[in-house]
Amino acid sequence: MWFRKKETVHTDEKILPQHIAIIMDGNGRWAKKRSLPRSAGHVAGAKTFKDIARYCNKIGIRYLTVYAFSTENWKRPKEEVDGIMNLLRDYLKDATNFKSENIKLNFIGDFSPLSEDIIRLIEKDEAESADATGLQVNIALNYGGRDELVHAVRKLMQSGKDADAITEEDISEAVYTAGQPDPDLIIRPGGEYRLSNFLIWQAAYAEYWFTDVLWPDFSAKDLDRAIETFAGRNRRYGGV
Ligand code: IPE
Ligand code: IPE
Ligand code: MG
């Protein structure tokens, strides 16, 4: 397809979203359809994540933010939460993750309730990929948009900045995605039409693309379709 070639992208950078965000939803239903435990859906979803991240890097996307675990997902049965955390642990331990592919790993969210070994692995993976110059992947873990804003407000107040002087830029610099462009395109597979507390500050002018395809079945072709639709959108930002 036309946007697959980096040279083509280069000649019209506006067409390719710089920052794509994905709500990786539908793992449980994917497993249920196959009479498998929900954990099997999460395993399959983790594989899809790796494939899609590699594909984004290949076609020249700069930032990919994925919703892996929300501040609300603790409501799930302990067995499922433990399973997701173990899967995360395995993923983090696989130090060869994206190392050879020049992909930079960054985690966003409130890590304080995560176990100590997971926090250490996160720090290790971030440090090991810090110099990568390809795609930056942000993995949202115990992430909630409202929780993020609470932390940002606290940070701003603690900075001692005059309340009347606070700007939108200050808030953008106080949230987890500081220094990064806002997402241009937010994709939600799994058939639901909501944000579920994802990137609520950063999503103000994002374009949305929804599909009924369940996340473990999501393929590069689906991403191509989303990007193609995005390229045809007219982003006016309130102008004419
Ligand atoms: C998304 O898939 C993964 C997480 C929220 C961790 P779900 O587990 O929400 O899958 P469904 O929505 O139940 O199918
Ligand atoms: C959103 O999916 C969170 C993640 C994908 C990590 P959920 O399955 O938790 O969202 P709801 O409950 O359908 O809103
Ligand atoms: Mg879900």
Side-chain angles (χ1 to χ4, degrees), residues 49-219:
F49 157 66
K50 289 185 206 165
D51 293 345
I52 293 298
R54 289 204 169 95
Y55 185 67
C56 283
N57 189 38
K58 186 173 132 195
I59 64 172
I61 303 296
R62 304 298 309 145
Y63 299 89
L64 170 69
T65 303
V66 293
Y67 208 1
F69 193 85
S70 78
T71 46
E72 288 71 36
N73 287 146
W74 299 102
K75 289 178 195 158
R76 296 185 179 205
K78 185 177 183 300
E79 194 193 335
E80 178 167 350
V81 172
D82 288 349
I84 292 170
M85 291 301 155
N86 281 330
L87 198 59
L88 173 70
R89 212 173 251 119
D90 290 345
Y91 168 76
L92 292 168
K93 277 183 195 158
D94 180 10
T96 51
N97 275 332
F98 295 130
K99 233 183 184 173
S100 55
E101 293 159 78
N102 202 22
I103 295 176
K104 181 172 174 163
L105 275 182
N106 180 54
F107 291 80
I108 61 171
D110 173 10
F111 309 146
S112 58
L114 301 178
S115 49
E116 200 42 55
D117 70 307
I118 288 186
I119 297 173
R120 274 198 305 273
L121 285 167
I122 286 175
E123 288 166 355
K124 180 175 156 283
D125 282 4
E126 284 185 342
E128 281 179 0
S129 67
D131 296 331
T133 54
L135 173 75
Q136 171 163 336
V137 178
N138 299 312
I139 301 182
L141 207 58
N142 191 33
Y143 173 91
R146 290 188 170 184
D147 186 60
E148 177 180 42
L149 286 173
V150 168
H151 282 97
V153 169
R154 285 186 192 148
K155 210 166 158 182
L156 285 168
M157 290 193 73
Q158 284 159 359
S159 75
K161 197 168 171 122
D162 179 10
D164 292 329
I166 291 172
T167 63
E168 291 189 8
E169 287 71 30
D170 291 331
I171 297 175
S172 289
E173 284 309 303
V175 292
Y176 299 129
T177 49
Q180 301 180 36
D182 286 337
D184 302 293
L185 171 63
I186 296 183
I187 296 173
R188 182 162 191 156
E192 311 290 359
Y193 301 92
R194 51 180 174 254
L195 270 183
S196 300
N197 204 12
F198 190 43
L199 301 177
I200 55 175
W201 171 263
Q202 298 88 337
Y205 264 107
E207 296 293 326
Y208 292 84
W209 194 81
F210 299 95
T211 174
D212 288 338
V213 170
L214 303 170
W215 176 247
D217 289 329
F218 192 92
S219 68

